[in-house]
Amino acid sequence: MPDSKVNTTRDLYNELVSELGNSSDLSTRNCLIGEERIPASVVWIDGLVSKQNLNADVISPLISGTQQLKLLHQSEPPHELLCSYILTANHVKMVNTSDECVPLLVSGWTIILVEDSEGAIAVNTQGLETRSIDEPASSSVIRGPRDGFVESLSVNISLIRRRIRDKAFRVETLTVGNLSHTKIAMVYVHDRADKETVDEIRKRLQSIDIDAVLESHYIEEIIKDSPTSFFPTVYSTERPDDVAGIILDGRVAIVVDGTPFVLALPCTLFHLLKTTEDLYLAYPVATFIRWIRYAGFFITLLLPSTYVGILTYHPEMVPPQLLSSILSSRDGVPFPVLMEALVMEIIFEGLREASIRMPRSIGSAISIVGALVIGESAVQAGIISSPSVIIVAGTAIASFTIPSISLSGTIRILRFFMLLLASLLGLYGIIIGLFMLGIQLASMQSVGLPYLSPFAPFKKKEAEKAIFRVPWFTLRKKR
Amino acid sequence: MFFHLSKYAVILSLMLLLSGCWSQINFDQLTVVSAIGLDVNKQGQLEVSVQLVNPTLPVAAGGGGQQRRAIAMYTANGLTVEDALETIRKQAKKSLFFSQTKVLLIGERLARQGLDDMMDFFWREPNQNFNCWVMVSKQSIPEVLSDSKELQAVAAEEWKAYFKNKTYKPTSGGIQLYQFLPRLEQSSFQAAVPGLIQVSKPSSKDMIMEIKDLAVFRNTKLVGWLTSEEAQIISWLTQQSSLGMFEVSTKDIKSVMFELKNIHIAMKPVYENGQLQMKVRMRTQATIKTSTEKLDLTEKQTTDLLETELSNAISETIEKTVYKLYRSYKSDAIGFGEAIHRKAPKSWKTLKGDWNNKLAQINVQSSISIEIIKSGLLIDSNIKKDDVQ
């Protein structure tokens, strides 16, 4: 037996251990295999492998399946013999250096080192603990599928694939993150997605240089158009049916390992105001709800600023009875209208943040306390007038109708901006603000698609589809 | 980079503050003026009164128990309206808010003197309500504005609601400021303003006001009054209203009250023998409201008789009203001049110079067609004694 060979296997093992810095979750199982009782080591990282697979596919065939097997001096080298004859795992690979071993080991593979043989065998025993498929917390529906994405890339892709069982469905995987080595996958339907869009997104993904990707927003922020803009140009969702609809539309989805939020590109303002449930409800109902959502968008943006603007600059616009009741309820309130609106809006934002961060059991308590504090006590103590409570509550309700969390956040910030403009210039200021907003929105794009399409530039058919939920029976032609 | 940018953002946003609070209204100091009154005092000086509303919570919002006066009245004298208002602002210490004024009340004495110098304020002031209703009061205006009692706390609101009510429109003859102002200068269509008159009840302190009659203006001066019945004719002729009640009592019929609906009326200037004539054509549907006479409407004769009697009565009233306007008051408050202007603009040019004096020569011919369509629940006549058993 040449000494060098013995050394190679030992060396490889030592090298592995030292490269992983003697990490204590590295497990080793030593055994003797074959009739010749050759010492072998099975190496894996705890928690990343499925114990069941490890036992059934690797350790038990190695030990009990090789007892009557002569490993040495056969026509094939012992590694190949083991691979093709003994190991029952679905994916087996030969590796030679520790540089090849380490990435596999850390992604949940098991390495088998056999003494006196060159290199090692890597067996796929990946078995990460994953959450079961639940209803997504961020977007629940009344009617529609209740499954949501989980944190595993392969499960997520399978969730999409089981909805589109066609050969045109494409998945392109790449690894991002110098330390995290996160797998991300581009998913699209081959003959529907625009080739240039796919190429552009692929180019952007490949040029990502980042240490770690812990959530898909890392990717979103790097690849999005107009990165300084407040508006989201990348859509994100937790719902597989949503993603399936998106890629059927010819858009591209990006699935990131480790997060249930899947990105989709391109994304316009109107994509952010649609929901999948629009398609699951009867078309008149869905159209009506969609209009309410559109109204909610503007109400969130403009209601507090219009209130402040009109009261401070144009009170003659208020109908007499309303003016009388506003004036009387503001009687004795120590703050000016702007102050009042601003304070209430900020309190509401605080309340909203608090109720998200609170443990679920206390969350309901917070909302009760908040509602009581804001609604009842402040008004009764005469610190805040009741119309402004109504305005803030109306704005809050309207902001909840916006389906996209990121868009709703943007609008909620811009609301303060509009509030300031209205307090300085009245309705004139609001119009200035709307013009600025319009200029900004019209100048934006999402991977080549103008952000305000299909309205600017105007495309009749698609604009119709954006305003109304067009029923299926009128759409005979293929999209 | 963020700090770098935010430095500029802060500097730029400071520029926004340069505008200051330009034209901002101090909302909490704002007090709604519900009514403005103009009159002359004994010394012949202009006397301006404003009725300010003290905002109260609506009763629905639990404001029923609020103990404070609903209105406050301030009066001041001055050379001009603005002059007097300046004094009032000092008295009230509030910013007066004229954009929701409901009523402009003009004293009869001032109206008879002429409004020439006062109206400039209303033409010029941007912050005011052109939709406020104009009335002429026979009583002293400060008294009316402070003591008149209506069911609503603010009397002016009740008056405005009365003018807006469709049923009262024919007799109330309401006119709004935007119509009133130009008609003061327009001889082809002069202003006629409803009167606000106290119902005499000397025992109680509260004043009960009635909106009735019509004050006719010749240019800026009040020249005379029309009764409510005549006011109704005016509002038909000016097409303000197409409804009305009309009572007929002649020697044949004691008294029958009709309700008129769908009144279509047209004034037409016609030259006959070089003489300007006014032809009025009216088409309407009538319903019998009450009758002191026993009417048997199953007889065609009765219906025919009623129709002729009614049309004669209406046509008589129209002619009487127009002659009163044209011959006694020499004021074209029904806009016949405008009708000529539209129909024959060229001949209007020769007429308009001395229109008020030419009015007296105009003859009125009216033709009226009436259809009695409803008679209520009774067809033949009053209930006979046999039926009751």
Side-chain angles (χ1 to χ4, degrees):
Chain A
M1 262 184 253
D3 274 343
S4 63
K5 268 191 180 175
V6 181
N7 287 343
T8 315
T9 313
R10 269 290 134 219
D11 283 352
L12 194 58
Y13 178 75
N14 290 337
E15 220 174 303
L16 268 182
V17 172
S18 67
E19 270 212 31
L20 289 171
N22 246 330
S23 193
S24 57
D25 57 354
L26 188 72
S27 305
T28 313
R29 165 79 156 84
N30 292 315
C31 49
L32 301 170
I33 54 170
E35 242 177 24
E36 296 91 344
R37 301 197 174 171
I38 310 163
S41 305
V42 182
V43 185
W44 70 91
I45 290 179
D46 263 344
L48 294 183
V49 300
S50 138
K51 285 271 158 63
Q52 211 180 346
N53 289 354
L54 181 68
N55 280 331
D57 300 341
V58 183
I59 297 176
S60 106
L62 265 186
I63 294 174
S64 51
T66 57
Q67 279 167 5
Q68 268 93 52
L69 189 71
K70 280 200 181 72
L71 281 174
L72 296 174
H73 315 298
Q74 300 289 321
S75 53
E76 294 107 349
H79 281 171
E80 260 179 46
L81 204 62
L82 283 175
C83 285
S84 48
Y85 200 69
I86 299 297
L87 296 172
T88 53
N90 57 6
H91 204 164
V92 181
K93 207 162 145 182
M94 300 292 298
V95 282
N96 287 320
T97 61
S98 69
D99 286 351
E100 277 177 276
C101 284
V102 172
L104 290 172
L105 203 57
V106 294
S107 57
W109 291 51
T110 301
I111 309 288
I112 303 166
L113 300 153
V114 183
E115 210 156 296
D116 298 345
S117 309
E118 213 174 321
I121 310 169
V123 188
N124 185 359
T125 51
Q126 258 179 345
L128 295 166
E129 286 297 323
T130 55
R131 191 162 60 90
S132 62
I133 297 171
D134 286 332
E135 185 168 12
S138 70
S139 54
S140 52
V141 290
I142 296 168
R143 175 162 182 182
R146 303 231 182 270
D147 53 348
F149 286 125
V150 292
E151 281 76 8
S152 152
L153 181 78
S154 51
V155 176
N156 288 354
I157 289 176
S158 78
L159 282 175
I160 307 168
R161 181 131 216 168
R162 71 175 68 158
R163 287 185 162 79
I164 305 168
R165 300 176 187 181
D166 195 85
K167 58 178 195 278
F169 183 85
R170 295 282 186 280
V171 182
E172 285 178 26
T173 317
L174 62 156
T175 310
V176 168
N178 302 335
L179 285 178
S180 68
H181 301 285
T182 312
K183 270 191 185 171
I184 59 177
M186 248 170 83
V187 181
Y188 57 93
V189 174
H190 174 59
D191 47 0
R192 291 202 174 182
D194 182 31
K195 194 173 173 300
E196 277 173 36
T197 312
V198 176
D199 289 344
E200 173 66 26
I201 294 169
R202 189 186 296 120
K203 205 182 86 198
R204 286 186 194 181
L205 286 178
Q206 278 164 353
S207 63
I208 292 177
D209 178 24
I210 192 171
D211 277 351
V213 175
L214 303 182
E215 217 279 335
S216 51
H217 192 263
Y218 288 51
I219 308 274
E220 177 179 338
E221 218 163 84
I222 295 170
I223 65 168
K224 84 183 259 203
D225 304 71
S226 341
T228 51
S229 169
F230 287 9
F231 280 89
T233 49
V234 177
Y235 185 82
S236 65
T237 178
E238 232 184 319
R239 303 186 56 82
D241 52 326
D242 202 355
V243 172
I246 283 166
I247 62 174
L248 283 176
D249 257 350
R251 295 193 271 153
V252 180
I254 300 166
V255 191
V256 177
D257 197 23
T259 173
F261 285 91
V262 172
L263 308 176
L265 286 163
C267 153
T268 68
L269 187 62
F270 295 94
H271 287 139
L272 292 164
L273 288 169
K274 283 182 197 170
T275 66
T276 32
E277 209 182 356
D278 283 1
L279 301 175
Y280 307 150
L281 294 174
Y283 68 92
V285 183
T287 306
F288 173 65
I289 293 173
R290 191 180 283 177
W291 287 353
I292 287 194
R293 232 176 279 135
Y294 288 163
F297 176 84
F298 285 105
I299 289 173
T300 316
L301 185 65
L302 297 177
L303 187 64
S305 50
T306 315
Y307 174 73
V308 170
I310 286 184
L311 286 197
T312 42
Y313 287 93
H314 322 276
E316 63 273 7
M317 283 178 68
V318 187
Q321 275 87 4
L322 185 60
L323 185 75
S324 160
S325 100
I326 292 176
L327 272 174
S328 62
S329 57
R330 274 196 52 77
D331 195 12
V333 172
F335 303 116
V337 186
L338 170 70
M339 236 348 226
E340 211 181 24
L342 214 57
V343 166
M344 289 300 287
E345 291 291 354
I346 288 170
I347 288 179
F348 165 69
E349 289 297 323
L351 200 68
R352 183 195 188 105
E353 180 64 15
S355 62
I356 295 170
R357 299 286 157 256
M358 276 286 158
R360 213 160 273 175
S361 49
I362 318 176
S364 61
I366 267 283
S367 61
I368 293 167
V369 168
L372 275 179
V373 164
I374 294 179
E376 280 297 312
S377 323
V379 171
Q380 279 188 357
I383 296 169
I384 299 291
S385 71
S386 40
S388 60
V389 175
I390 295 169
I391 295 292
V392 172
T395 316
I397 291 170
S399 78
F400 289 128
T401 61
I402 301 175
S404 158
I405 309 154
S406 42
L407 182 66
S408 147
T410 307
I411 294 301
R412 270 160 37 220
I413 292 175
L414 290 179
R415 183 182 62 178
F416 288 104
F417 176 63
M418 295 301 262
L419 201 56
L420 285 180
L421 276 179
S423 74
L424 288 173
L425 296 165
L427 290 185
Y428 180 58
I430 293 179
I431 293 298
I432 290 178
L434 284 179
F435 266 98
M436 283 160 70
L437 196 65
I439 292 168
Q440 151 85 342
L441 288 178
S443 67
M444 278 166 62
Q445 285 195 338
S446 175
V447 221
L449 191 65
Y451 200 56
L452 286 181
S453 74
F455 290 99
F458 187 71
K459 287 173 202 145
K460 191 164 173 264
K461 276 272 165 60
E462 285 168 45
E464 213 169 60
K465 272 192 211 163
I467 296 174
F468 303 102
R469 209 289 259 160
V470 179
W472 292 121
F473 56 77
T474 62
L475 300 170
R476 294 273 178 223
K477 276 173 268 168
K478 195 179 168 187
R479 273 190 285 183
Chain B
M1 189 194 78
F2 254 109
F3 285 109
H4 194 64
L5 278 179
S6 56
K7 200 162 65 188
Y8 291 112
V10 167
I11 292 169
L12 278 177
S13 63
L14 282 178
M15 260 175 66
L16 278 175
L17 298 174
L18 282 180
S19 71
C21 294
W22 175 69
S23 92
Q24 185 176 359
I25 293 163
N26 188 351
F27 188 68
D28 294 322
Q29 274 293 308
L30 186 139
T31 312
V32 176
V33 176
S34 60
I36 312 173
L38 303 177
D39 208 347
V40 278
N41 64 4
K42 297 216 169 70
Q43 289 79 44
Q45 244 188 329
L46 179 67
E47 181 190 61
V48 177
S49 322
V50 292
Q51 188 188 46
L52 304 182
V53 181
N54 200 358
T56 45
L57 271 183
V59 179
Q66 279 175 320
Q67 294 290 321
R68 53 184 195 184
R69 7 175 233 166
I71 52 161
M73 217 277 305
Y74 292 91
T75 306
N77 299 327
L79 270 177
T80 60
V81 180
E82 184 55 39
D83 192 19
L85 284 178
E86 206 46 57
T87 320
I88 290 175
R89 284 197 185 99
K90 280 175 198 153
Q91 292 172 1
K93 299 156 203 82
K94 289 268 192 182
S95 57
L96 302 182
F97 185 64
F98 287 101
S99 305
Q100 281 176 2
T101 307
K102 276 127 201 148
V103 168
L104 171 62
L105 210 53
I106 299 168
E108 196 186 357
R109 240 151 57 87
L110 176 71
R112 287 209 186 262
Q113 273 183 22
L115 300 170
D116 301 287
D117 310 332
M118 287 53 177
M119 289 300 130
D120 183 67
F121 172 79
F122 295 98
W123 278 111
R124 220 178 274 281
E125 175 65 34
N127 292 317
Q128 61 158 331
N129 188 7
F130 274 115
N131 287 322
C132 73
W133 299 86
V134 185
M135 284 195 282
V136 170
S137 167
K138 283 187 175 172
Q139 266 70 36
S140 134
I141 284 185
E143 251 176 68
V144 171
L145 286 184
S146 57
D147 293 341
S148 57
K149 276 281 177 305
E150 303 287 348
L151 275 180
Q152 274 190 23
V154 183
E157 275 170 17
E158 194 81 74
W159 298 337
K160 178 195 165 198
Y162 177 82
F163 282 121
K164 289 189 116 178
N165 193 327
K166 217 175 156 191
T167 6
Y168 303 132
K169 217 161 210 171
T171 47
S172 70
I175 181 168
Q176 283 169 301
L177 189 60
Y178 73 92
Q179 299 166 314
F180 177 73
L181 284 179
R183 284 183 198 172
L184 289 178
E185 319 288 335
Q186 193 180 5
S187 62
S188 59
F189 197 163
Q190 304 244 276
V193 176
L196 185 70
I197 292 149
Q198 185 181 12
V199 183
S200 50
K201 198 182 272 176
S203 56
S204 87
K205 190 190 160 274
D206 296 339
M207 292 171 86
I208 309 284
M209 307 304 294
E210 191 182 344
I211 295 169
K212 64 170 189 183
D213 296 357
L214 215 53
V216 179
F217 279 74
R218 191 197 303 134
N219 294 332
T220 57
K221 278 199 176 79
L222 192 155
V223 284
W225 291 85
L226 294 178
T227 63
S228 287
E229 198 190 25
E230 290 159 339
Q232 177 166 270
I233 301 291
I234 304 270
S235 64
W236 291 347
L237 285 171
T238 54
Q239 293 179 352
Q240 267 189 322
S241 171
S242 61
L243 304 171
M245 302 291 275
F246 200 87
E247 194 188 6
V248 178
S249 52
T250 57
K251 57 184 192 310
D252 296 337
I253 302 168
K254 259 187 274 170
S255 171
V256 185
M257 182 69 113
F258 292 94
E259 188 188 358
L260 306 181
K261 272 183 189 163
N262 297 335
I263 299 171
H264 292 274
I265 202 159
M267 287 184 291
K268 212 168 142 193
V270 179
Y271 278 100
E272 262 173 31
N273 311 324
Q275 177 76 28
L276 186 61
Q277 304 263 343
M278 173 174 156
K279 276 202 167 171
V280 176
R281 272 192 313 169
M282 176 169 162
R283 193 152 43 81
T284 179
Q285 291 171 333
T287 309
I288 299 171
K289 275 298 191 187
T290 52
S291 165
T292 51
E293 190 94 349
K294 284 192 179 174
L295 301 170
D296 185 4
L297 290 169
T298 51
E299 295 278 323
K300 190 167 184 302
Q301 270 181 325
T302 326
T303 329
D304 287 347
L305 178 71
L306 281 177
E307 282 180 0
T308 31
E309 290 290 349
L310 179 59
S311 66
N312 286 342
I314 291 178
S315 119
E316 198 182 303
T317 323
I318 289 180
E319 282 161 29
K320 209 182 80 196
T321 311
V322 175
Y323 286 141
K324 189 172 175 185
L325 267 182
Y326 282 7
R327 299 197 174 154
S328 325
Y329 298 153
K330 294 197 171 106
S331 161
D332 189 0
I334 51 173
F336 184 51
E338 277 302 290
I340 300 171
H341 192 179
R342 277 197 295 271
K343 182 94 184 166
K346 273 184 190 155
S347 65
W348 172 245
K349 271 183 188 161
T350 60
L351 286 171
K352 79 174 171 188
D354 196 21
W355 179 240
N356 283 342
N357 291 327
K358 281 175 190 145
L359 286 170
Q361 278 110 54
I362 294 171
N363 283 322
V364 181
Q365 295 169 355
S366 52
S367 64
I368 289 157
S369 78
I370 287 172
E371 196 187 348
I372 294 178
I373 51 162
K374 278 181 194 165
S375 63
L377 295 173
L378 272 179
I379 298 271
D380 43 4
S381 73
N382 278 332
I383 306 156
K384 292 174 193 112
K385 276 186 181 149
D386 303 350
D387 294 342
V388 181
Q389 292 153 9

